[in-house]
Amino acid sequence: MKTMLLVLAAAGSMVMAGGVGAADAGADLAKAKGCLNCHAVAEKKVGPAYKDVAAKYKGNKDAAATLTAKLKDGKGHMKIAASDAELKTLVQWALSAK
Ligand code: HEC
């Protein structure tokens, strides 16, 4: 019986890891790149909360391109040292914040 429960618990955590993979990748990267020193998802720190950024750009189809350019070229934001793929992950994660 105990073994059965362990098997079920292991299977359950695998399913969950799959489900939140994209959000985790964004959050981990934001931490690794130091974004979270100035930003948080839900509250204003040095920079705006990502959920406020997401709200501000809601319905703006150029949002991802605008923000990626801002971070990449350091226009209106400090320049971020990250690859294009990393910036894409970060921006998409920030824009999906709730
Ligand atoms: C040294 C502090 C600092 C760090 C580190 C930092 N930011 Fe910011 N960020 C700010 C401030 C201040 C603002 C608000 C002013 C502005 O838009 O530049 C901001 C604004 C933003 C915005 C909203 C821009 C807009 O047009 O509304 C996004 C998105 C963002 N940051 C993403 C990031 C990401 C992703 C990282 C990490 C790769 C990061 N920031 C790291 C300080 C920081």
Side-chain angles (χ1 to χ4, degrees):
M1 191 56 201
K2 205 170 172 195
T3 323
M4 187 65 195
L5 282 177
L6 283 175
V7 170
L8 283 175
S13 60
M14 268 171 355
V15 169
M16 275 173 40
V20 296
D24 270 1
D28 285 351
L29 199 56
K31 207 176 191 178
K33 292 286 171 188
C35 315
L36 298 182
N37 293 332
C38 292
H39 292 280
V41 169
E43 73 243 24
K44 188 172 159 43
K45 289 172 84 179
V46 179
Y50 286 138
K51 75 172 173 43
D52 293 341
V53 174
K56 176 176 147 190
Y57 283 97
K58 194 167 193 271
N60 180 343
K61 59 179 169 33
D62 299 326
T66 306
L67 290 177
T68 306
K70 231 180 180 178
L71 299 176
K72 192 179 158 116
D73 305 328
K75 287 196 186 106
H77 192 279
M78 59 181 278
K79 198 169 155 76
I80 301 293
S83 70
D84 287 356
E86 286 171 335
L87 284 174
K88 191 172 169 219
T89 303
L90 286 167
V91 165
Q92 275 172 354
W93 174 72
L95 287 174
S96 68
K98 290 191 189 84

